[in-house]
Amino acid sequence: MALFTSVKLPMPANVDLYWDDQTTFTARLQQLNQEVVLSLSLCRVIRRITAVLLHSTRERSTQGDYTDFLPFFTPDLPLEELEDWLKIYDGSLMAESRQNRIHLLSPEGFVRSPALHFIPHIFRRWIRDPDSKGLSIECRRFERRRNLIQRAILTQHMSLENPSRAVCIVAAECTIDLLPWELSRTSLLIPPMIQLLHRQLMAQALRLELFEDAPEISLDTLAEAITTPSSRWTVNYQRLEFLGDSLLKFIVSTHLFYKHPQWHEGYLSKQKDLLVSNERLTHAAITAHLEQFICKDFITRKHRAFWPKQGDIAREMIPKKVYADVVEALVAAAYEHGGLPLSRKLVGIFLPELSDFASTPKQSPKQNGQFPVHLEMKLDAFLGYKFTNRSLLWEALTHPSWQRDQSTSSYQRLEFLGDAVLDVLVAKMLHSLSPKLAEGRMTELRAALVNADFLAFLCMESAMAEPSCPIVTADSPETFARAKNIALWMFMRHDSPDIAKLWTECAKRHGMLGEVVKKKLEGDDSYPWGTFAQLGAPKFYSDLVESTIGAIFIESKGCLETCGQFLKRIHLVDYLQRFVRQNVRLEHPKSALNRITGTDEVKFEIEDTADGLHKISVWLKSEKIASIDSCFSRAEAFVRGADEAVVLLLSRTRDQ
């Protein structure tokens, strides 16, 4: 085929098209770009040829004009032969008349009849009726696949030899298309080719608009970033948006952290939430006229123009979420081809207040402070990383209640930074896995790996055996103190009696449930949300993990790989790989309960018991489907109640 457009096409642009479960076409654009000045009469010819091809597989009632739509498709013939081709194949003949004896042949074109609503049918054979001495045509309906970009499942009735799909029609009522039906069906490749070209041209225009002075970014990646799920294309922005969401949060968080060294964690979080909100990103996208490049529909012949000029696009309502998703996907596209520097530059285009971001973070100034030498040595051994700025390390381990000296601040600012670093590290690992994970699965995995309960468990569970210390006494010249395990939370500095009490209570629960949680994480086919809730770890446990990550990030001058080594050390990466490899079910119990019950209303009834604990009952319609006693917190009660209800409902489904 030859392709005529009013603009030069980007190269390459290939697409796989699935005819059935056994046949795949790969449509390719060959490197034969030529500038040709077409006469008005030749333009009319190639427009008419395109219309003939495009409409040949449709019933007559749905055929429309093809006037302003580009590109144009024709057979790959010299220009001077196109008009002759059109004369040969445009139109149809009566199947049987005095002037036409086509019944003596085997027609190659589609059979159409008012009795068949002019729907294209494929000729099988002539049938002579001995009583009426007339002719009939046995044919079968042409099964037109409307979506060739999705893999097909071949059904038996699509077979040409399936007699059950054959129909007979009086030949005198039929017409036969002049265009052979096997050539007609190639026109089904035109709509996906048009969509492919549309995406590539949009991506090319966007690259010139946003990345004129930046390293070249792959058009395929940009096309993916601007393609919405509603376009029904095989690849859309969802996977890039997943990574871009974490990258944007990381870029904004690090910028705020270094630009405002005096800001409290609460101010930092509030400002970050404003900058990454859908409202702010939507405003940024509209300001950058991003709506011109978003591929939100499958381009069809109903669209007025294939390559509209700026300002000619109808101002259709694009949801805020789509604008925000495309911005985040573009941030990820920039990262894949230019790393963090290019991502930061792109963020600066959409959010000008971040355009002055320093590419290399500066370390916090060293402060004077005296820290216990024996604890310093244990910390270095536990972390497997030696800080030169010791104040930074102890800041990561200082609770806001600590008032004994002013040598360090609390861990809250570092926890804010570490949260963003952890999020982007996990997102990068998930996005780079092969085979590729769907966006929904990556979101479930990230939620399971960065939630406070899981991080708190790692903080308690990741321990190191403390070396035995010799003790010299009068009775024995040298004995050894009993070795004990040390964990990160044991180094936290605080001045709160309540924390000491929480430590004791949580240590008891960890002693009872720690092995249970570990076995479930390492061997179960579902994530232990309920057991985590039962463990009930206070938030400062997870804060310590995130603040330590933030401190390592600063000490290593912004090296994400060094922070990733710490995640391996506390076994977070091991669990990530296990969840992916064994396809662990990660859905939260409350989400699973809502999915299973659908529109049926679920009610939770919670009450406080005399011993200070909580009891919850879960009702579906008028039936109590779960009841949990002795919960330490209301949050634990809701999670465990939903978890037990899900187990019951799933068991009923299996029994049915």
Side-chain angles (χ1 to χ4, degrees):
M1 304 291 289
L3 175 64
F4 296 84
T5 68
S6 58
V7 295
K8 187 174 181 179
L9 298 177
M11 296 290 181
N14 303 335
V15 62
D16 288 333
L17 304 169
Y18 304 101
W19 185 259
D20 53 42
D21 63 348
Q22 298 176 347
T23 310
T24 302
F25 296 99
T26 298
R28 294 187 177 91
L29 290 181
Q30 302 295 331
Q31 297 282 355
L32 295 175
N33 273 347
Q34 296 180 359
E35 293 187 7
V36 179
V37 178
L38 300 178
S39 65
L40 185 60
S41 60
L42 190 55
C43 282
R44 286 196 290 264
V45 169
I46 63 174
R47 180 183 291 114
R48 180 56 191 164
I49 290 176
T50 304
V52 169
L53 290 171
L54 192 64
H55 299 148
S56 61
T57 58
R58 294 169 170 81
E59 53 269 29
R60 295 271 170 81
S61 60
T62 63
Q63 295 184 9
D65 204 356
Y66 193 88
T67 56
D68 300 325
F69 196 60
L70 286 173
F72 297 131
F73 292 83
T74 71
D76 188 15
L77 297 171
L79 294 178
E80 59 271 15
E81 297 181 15
L82 292 178
E83 188 171 1
D84 292 336
W85 185 96
L86 184 61
K87 291 178 181 178
I88 294 173
Y89 293 114
D90 186 13
S92 59
L93 294 173
M94 295 298 299
E96 184 182 31
S97 66
R98 292 181 180 179
Q99 291 80 22
N100 178 34
R101 297 297 178 182
I102 197 170
H103 61 268
L104 300 175
L105 308 175
S106 177
E108 296 181 343
F110 281 128
V111 178
R112 302 177 191 267
S113 168
L116 301 175
H117 307 288
F118 296 103
I119 295 173
H121 281 64
I122 298 174
F123 175 87
R124 288 174 59 86
R125 59 174 176 158
W126 296 101
I127 298 178
R128 182 176 295 279
D129 188 340
D131 297 331
S132 63
K133 298 182 180 180
L135 283 176
S136 295
I137 296 178
E138 182 182 287
C139 54
R140 71 168 182 90
R141 181 170 177 169
F142 174 68
E143 300 290 349
R144 178 166 66 93
R145 289 206 63 222
R146 298 179 182 272
N147 188 354
L148 293 182
I149 61 175
Q150 302 290 344
R151 291 188 178 274
I153 300 177
L154 184 65
T155 56
Q156 183 183 4
H157 71 261
M158 294 178 67
S159 171
L160 186 64
E161 303 303 323
N162 184 5
S164 65
R165 300 291 295 179
V167 295
C168 289
I169 196 74
V170 176
E173 300 177 0
C174 296
T175 60
I176 306 293
D177 289 357
L178 295 176
L179 186 67
W181 75 268
E182 291 187 334
L183 182 57
S184 296
R185 70 173 181 174
T186 62
S187 68
L188 299 180
L189 310 182
I190 292 178
M193 279 298 297
I194 291 175
Q195 181 74 355
L196 173 69
L197 297 176
H198 176 72
R199 294 172 70 251
Q200 294 293 109
L201 288 168
M202 292 294 104
Q204 179 176 259
L206 181 63
R207 185 167 69 184
L208 293 174
E209 182 79 16
L210 292 183
F211 302 101
E212 183 176 0
D213 299 321
E216 185 173 288
I217 296 182
S218 163
L219 285 183
D220 289 336
T221 305
L222 278 181
E224 180 180 342
I226 61 177
T227 302
T228 69
S230 63
S231 70
R232 295 178 286 135
W233 195 249
T234 50
V235 178
N236 56 55
Y237 62 55
Q238 289 179 315
R239 277 180 45 83
L240 283 174
E241 179 269 328
F242 169 83
L243 177 60
D245 173 72
S246 296
L247 284 167
L248 182 62
K249 174 184 173 183
F250 169 76
I251 291 170
V252 171
S253 297
T254 51
H255 171 82
L256 294 174
F257 183 88
Y258 290 110
K259 186 173 183 179
H260 305 287
Q262 303 302 321
W263 277 17
H264 186 272
E265 181 271 341
Y267 294 129
L268 293 172
S269 295
K270 183 177 181 180
Q271 186 64 17
K272 179 206 71 177
D273 292 342
L274 287 173
L275 288 171
V276 302
S277 66
N278 285 347
E279 288 77 12
R280 180 66 182 90
L281 296 180
T282 298
H283 175 75
I286 292 175
T287 302
H289 302 292
L290 201 59
E291 73 278 357
Q292 302 173 90
F293 311 106
I294 296 177
C295 301
K296 63 182 293 289
D297 299 314
F298 194 96
I299 304 300
T300 68
R301 63 188 177 91
K302 297 179 181 179
H303 289 73
R304 289 180 58 84
F306 172 66
W307 181 243
K309 298 180 181 179
Q310 295 185 6
D312 291 343
I313 299 178
R315 292 281 179 174
E316 298 182 19
M317 290 297 295
I318 297 179
K320 292 180 180 179
K321 183 67 167 58
V322 171
Y323 275 121
D325 288 349
V326 171
V327 171
E328 291 169 345
L330 288 172
V331 172
Y335 176 81
E336 288 197 347
H337 293 274
L340 280 173
L342 188 56
S343 288
R344 289 193 180 106
K345 183 172 182 177
L346 181 65
V347 171
I349 294 174
F350 286 111
L351 305 175
E353 54 266 59
L354 272 68
S355 58
D356 60 342
F357 189 89
S359 59
T360 303
K362 299 177 181 178
Q363 291 197 32
S364 300
K366 296 182 180 180
Q367 301 173 350
N368 295 323
Q370 297 296 324
F371 307 107
V373 176
H374 67 289
L375 292 181
E376 296 263 346
M377 296 174 62
K378 291 177 183 178
L379 262 175
D380 290 342
F382 177 82
L383 297 174
Y385 185 82
K386 187 175 180 63
F387 278 75
T388 57
N389 186 350
R390 309 305 294 182
S391 296
L392 181 63
L393 173 59
W394 283 103
E395 180 181 337
L397 301 170
T398 301
H399 190 268
S401 65
W402 180 258
Q403 300 294 331
R404 299 187 200 182
D405 63 64
Q406 301 300 319
S407 60
T408 62
S409 303
S410 75
Y411 60 55
Q412 289 175 308
R413 278 177 51 86
L414 289 175
E415 179 265 326
F416 166 83
L417 177 63
D419 172 71
V421 175
L422 171 64
D423 198 77
V424 78
L425 282 171
V426 171
K428 282 180 56 182
M429 286 186 279
L430 294 174
H431 189 265
S432 63
L433 289 175
S434 182
K436 295 180 179 180
L437 299 174
E439 181 271 339
R441 179 60 175 171
M442 291 193 295
T443 299
E444 282 187 343
L445 284 160
R446 181 172 58 185
L449 292 163
V450 303
N451 72 82
D453 290 333
F454 179 71
L455 295 178
F457 174 76
L458 295 183
C459 186
M460 291 183 283
E461 190 70 18
S462 300
M464 179 187 72
E466 184 178 9
S468 300
C469 301
I471 300 177
V472 180
T473 64
D475 300 330
S476 175
E478 185 175 330
T479 60
F480 287 86
R482 184 179 180 182
K484 65 177 182 180
N485 289 337
I486 55 173
L488 184 63
W489 62 269
M490 297 179 181
F491 296 96
M492 188 178 79
R493 304 191 299 175
H494 70 92
D495 273 332
S496 171
D498 292 336
I499 288 182
K501 182 180 178 181
L502 289 172
W503 273 354
T504 302
E505 293 174 351
C506 196
K508 289 181 181 178
R509 294 197 296 273
H510 179 255
M512 294 185 296
L513 297 171
E515 283 300 315
V516 176
V517 174
K518 188 175 181 179
K519 287 181 179 179
K520 289 185 176 182
L521 287 173
E522 293 179 350
D524 267 16
D525 59 356
S526 60
Y527 189 82
W529 291 105
T531 314
F532 274 141
Q534 197 172 359
L535 185 60
K539 186 176 181 295
F540 59 73
Y541 284 98
S542 61
D543 289 345
L544 286 174
V545 174
E546 293 173 338
S547 62
T548 302
I549 294 171
I552 294 174
F553 180 78
I554 297 174
E555 175 72 16
S556 64
K557 299 181 180 180
C559 180
L560 290 174
E561 288 74 15
T562 303
C563 298
Q565 292 300 318
F566 177 71
L567 299 187
K568 291 181 180 179
R569 193 170 184 84
I570 63 176
H571 304 295
L572 184 146
V573 177
D574 293 334
Y575 287 120
L576 181 152
Q577 293 172 345
R578 215 280 291 187
F579 294 163
V580 173
R581 185 173 59 252
Q582 299 186 17
N583 198 27
V584 175
R585 294 198 306 272
L586 302 171
E587 189 177 19
H588 193 277
K590 293 187 72 174
S591 299
L593 184 59
N594 291 334
R595 176 178 53 80
I596 294 171
T597 56
T599 57
D600 294 332
E601 185 178 359
V602 178
K603 293 183 178 180
F604 293 85
E605 293 182 358
I606 191 166
E607 58 181 287
D608 301 334
T609 57
D611 54 2
L613 301 177
H614 307 277
K615 176 182 178 181
I616 194 168
S617 300
V618 183
W619 296 80
L620 179 60
K621 298 180 180 178
S622 59
E623 179 189 3
K624 183 191 291 188
I625 58 175
S627 180
I628 300 290
D629 299 323
S630 304
C631 297
F632 289 100
S633 66
R634 297 173 71 88
E636 175 192 344
F638 278 108
V639 175
R640 293 180 61 195
D643 196 29
E644 183 170 303
V646 168
V647 172
L648 175 68
L649 294 176
L650 288 178
S651 65
R652 288 181 178 179
T653 302
R654 286 192 294 268
D655 292 342
Q656 293 174 356

